[in-house]
Amino acid sequence: MHGRIRTWGPGALVLLPTVLLLGYFVYGLIAWTFNTSLTDKHNARPVPTNYVGFENYANLFGEDRFLNSLKNLGVLTVAFIVGTLIFGVLWALLLEKGVPGESVFRSVFLFPMAISMIASGVVWGWLLNPSQGDDARGLNRLFSILNLNFLENPWWTAGSRWTTMAAIALPAVWQLSGYIMALFLAGFRGIPPELREAARVDGASEFKLYRHVLFPQLSPIALSALIILGHMSLKLFDLIYAITGPNQFRTEVPSIYMWNTLLRSDMAKAAAIAIVLLAVVAVLVIPYVAYTVRQESEE
């Protein structure tokens, strides 16, 4: 007994502070948020609260505004993931083939990651200024100077849901494509050169080499990138807030709606929105964790 304590005791003591902090500030606060979402605390007055069960959730999914925010989030997520993967993989392919000054290009592509979302949102908010004609600013002004007036557009202030949220996703794509590039470039560099040589000896073209040999080796990286981008799209609060502000219905997503609800001191409703977002994240992350655990156990 004492021998076992000496074996795992020091490690347990080292991990204990972390476990306690995580238990309180992560899981404890999640439990508190879920508990709040089941109450009727809809104002800041110190009055007794009553439990109403899942009434707040039922009211949320009966609201056009919340459903609109979910649809915006879905479109934003698709545009963000597709755009980031396309540019990230494209840049990784270009660098993987070997280009002069590769370190410079890597730095340029990765630089946006060093910028905070709020700073990026402020800059892109100016670039995506919807004014046109003589009052054009940002990219529209650049198009006007270059006599490319047909490219001027209102960006996120008009058009369909897809064009609106794609414009909002553009800054996030610019900021995260370098990260995806780094993931895939590391994956390409980690593939043994013998596989490439064997495929070329068998007569495989470059296209077939990438399609049938290299990209199948990168499926775990692609899955990880998909999960990471998916859950990051749910947290694009600061970027959207900096570009459009908190009261823009056309670009409102659940996180922005939750913020506006908190400003009205509607704690129960805001907590319900937070739990819905947590559930969406769980839907994305839990299958990935299960897949990873299964793969590790098989190995």
Side-chain angles (χ1 to χ4, degrees), residues 26-76:
V26 178
Y27 301 105
L29 293 182
I30 289 176
W32 177 84
T33 302
F34 179 67
N35 179 72
T36 303
S37 73
L38 301 178
T39 67
D40 61 353
K41 187 173 179 56
H42 297 296
N43 54 62
R45 290 179 295 176
V47 295
T49 57
N50 301 306
Y51 283 94
V52 295
F54 291 93
E55 179 181 314
N56 292 317
Y57 295 93
N59 292 337
L60 269 182
F61 285 98
E63 278 189 8
D64 291 337
R65 181 175 178 180
F66 181 69
L67 295 178
N68 176 75
S69 71
L70 284 178
K71 292 175 183 177
N72 287 344
L73 179 62
V75 174
L76 175 67

Side-chain angles (χ1 to χ4, degrees), residues 6 20 24 37 72 109 116 122 152 189 209 215 238 260 268:
R6 291 195 194 97
L20 292 176
Y24 180 78
S37 73
N72 287 344
F109 293 151
S116 69
V122 170
E152 292 185 37
R189 297 284 166 83
L209 171 66
F215 277 117
D238 41 4
N260 289 327

